[in-house]
Amino acid sequence: MDTLAISNPVLPSYDDVVAAARHIEGHAHKTPVLTSRTANRELGAEVFFKCENYQRMGAFKFRGAFNALSKFDATQRKHGVVAFSSGNHAQGIALSAQLLGIPATIVMPHDAPAAKVAATKEYGATVVVYDRYTEDREAIGRQLAQEHGLTLIPPYDHPDILAGQGTAAKELFEEVGRLDSLFVCLGGGGLLSGSALATRALAPECRLYGVEPEAGNDGQQSLRSGNIVKIDTPKTIADGAQTQYLGNYTFGIIKRDVDDILTVSDAQLVEAMRFFAERMKMVVEPTGCLGFAAARAMASELRGQRVGVIISGGNIDLNTYAKLLAR
């Protein structure tokens, strides 16, 4: 475990989330908010699921990606974008670039889910493969940007990215009104920090929880120590949360606005996947189950509340999905 130096960038505000909502309107789906009587009964609460598994390319990442690329100037559009991602940011950037006519290069780990790699290529992006356990994806991305004049758009630590991700929570509050608690998946913190901006503007009394896999609790350690903690790449089925550390933008917002960061086990994620499949007829990837898995574990504390859960995505290789559910 290492502690990273923290810079103090000017943090985005809720006004940036509102602007992002305008940029993505007509391009991103306004995803459904679903309920389940079984979930309500189990938690003794009213539970509202914001289903970003029904977003374009199957995850919330399209929101931030399209917002960021839509702000490129003519020179940036001509030269293209480079990004690094285990899958969902890759697909979000690739699809957004295709829609906007921008060349895209994506740095992806060699063990990324096959379905995510295939979709990224189908959206027209060039994929550069690396080993997530021995190579530095950020260094590879920076080198490609420098050599080819590309604009690097990281998966979470970027003002336009996290502002775009915050539009999911904005839509949730606008549709269902007051919430007592909101559970949000946490990898690098783009979705959680964007959700925090929306939450504090629209429902300041709502308790906001980030949720990580047990094996990758760098965010929890960071929040509790007051510094960005870097860990080894975690081994977890939640591939979208295999990040090693939070960013300066995301940590700045999380430290200020998030009530707590919780963790759940891979076994709890599989049980949540099974619940969504059996009870709600939805395919949800393991990372997308983080929020609900934590809410189930906190059921006794949530009784009588109005609870929001952001389901981050549904992109998972079907063979892997079947094997996990067969456990």
Side-chain angles (χ1 to χ4, degrees):
M1 180 187 79
D2 299 314
T3 299
L4 302 183
I6 301 173
S7 66
N8 293 298
V10 176
L11 299 177
S13 70
Y14 179 63
D15 288 342
D16 296 297
V17 178
V18 174
R22 291 196 300 267
H23 289 140
I24 69 174
E25 187 175 5
H27 302 282
H29 296 324
K30 185 174 181 181
T31 52
V33 176
L34 301 183
T35 59
S36 161
R37 288 188 299 172
T38 305
N40 290 350
R41 186 167 60 249
E42 181 181 331
L43 271 65
E46 287 185 273
V47 187
F48 301 92
F49 297 98
K50 178 63 170 170
C51 297
E52 287 295 289
N53 49 320
Y54 292 129
Q55 186 53 263
R56 294 188 76 164
M57 48 69 47
F60 75 97
K61 292 282 191 177
F62 179 78
R63 295 173 180 272
F66 193 91
N67 184 50
L69 267 60
S70 71
K71 299 173 76 171
F72 274 22
D73 61 28
T75 300
Q76 289 175 304
R77 287 176 180 243
K78 178 181 178 182
H79 288 120
V81 61
V82 61
F84 45 83
S85 166
S86 65
N88 284 340
H89 180 62
Q91 292 174 82
I93 290 288
L95 176 56
S96 298
Q98 182 188 66
L99 294 171
L100 293 166
I102 299 171
T105 301
I106 312 293
V107 180
M108 300 186 75
H110 70 87
D111 59 348
K116 295 183 179 182
V117 176
T120 301
K121 291 179 177 178
E122 287 170 10
Y123 292 136
T126 299
V127 172
V128 175
V129 177
Y130 78 103
D131 186 327
R132 76 165 93 215
Y133 299 103
T134 62
E135 295 182 282
D136 185 340
R137 65 182 189 171
E138 294 187 36
I140 296 169
R142 287 194 300 268
Q143 183 178 353
L144 288 168
Q146 186 174 10
E147 290 177 354
H148 302 287
L150 310 176
T151 299
L152 177 63
I153 299 293
Y156 52 87
D157 201 35
H158 189 289
D160 296 333
I161 289 290
L162 68 88
Q165 319 306 25
T167 61
K170 176 179 181 291
E171 290 176 6
L172 174 61
F173 285 114
E174 289 173 345
E175 181 165 342
V176 307
R178 176 188 62 81
L179 293 173
D180 298 297
S181 298
L182 176 61
F183 292 82
V184 182
C185 314
L186 174 58
L191 181 60
L192 180 58
S193 58
S195 297
L197 295 178
T199 300
R200 294 299 161 237
L202 301 176
E205 301 305 315
C206 177
R207 290 192 62 80
L208 178 59
Y209 300 99
V211 188
E212 298 178 299
E214 281 181 353
N217 73 330
D218 60 290
Q220 185 182 67
Q221 293 182 58
S222 299
L223 183 65
R224 294 177 185 177
S225 71
N227 295 291
I228 297 176
V229 171
K230 180 180 180 181
I231 62 172
D232 293 334
T233 301
K235 290 182 168 58
T236 171
I237 62 172
D239 65 282
Q242 285 183 298
T243 46
Q244 295 177 278
Y245 52 90
L246 301 175
N248 283 302
Y249 288 102
T250 59
F251 180 63
I253 296 170
I254 289 168
K255 181 171 63 171
R256 183 189 68 195
D257 293 338
V258 172
D259 290 288
D260 200 4
I261 294 177
L262 313 170
T263 65
V264 295
S265 67
D266 279 3
Q268 288 172 296
L269 294 179
V270 171
E271 285 307 307
M273 288 172 61
R274 184 172 288 115
F275 177 91
F276 287 130
E278 291 180 346
R279 296 293 184 172
M280 299 183 71
K281 314 308 174 190
M282 292 195 301
V283 174
V284 180
E285 63 185 280
T287 307
C289 294
L290 285 164
F292 184 50
R296 295 176 100 181
M298 280 182 62
S300 62
E301 300 174 48
L302 301 176
R303 297 201 180 281
Q305 291 192 16
R306 290 169 56 84
V307 178
V309 175
I310 298 184
I311 297 174
S312 61
N315 292 325
I316 182 170
D317 176 80
L318 289 181
N319 288 329
T320 301
Y321 183 71
K323 289 176 182 176
L324 289 173
L325 292 185
R327 282 185 177 183

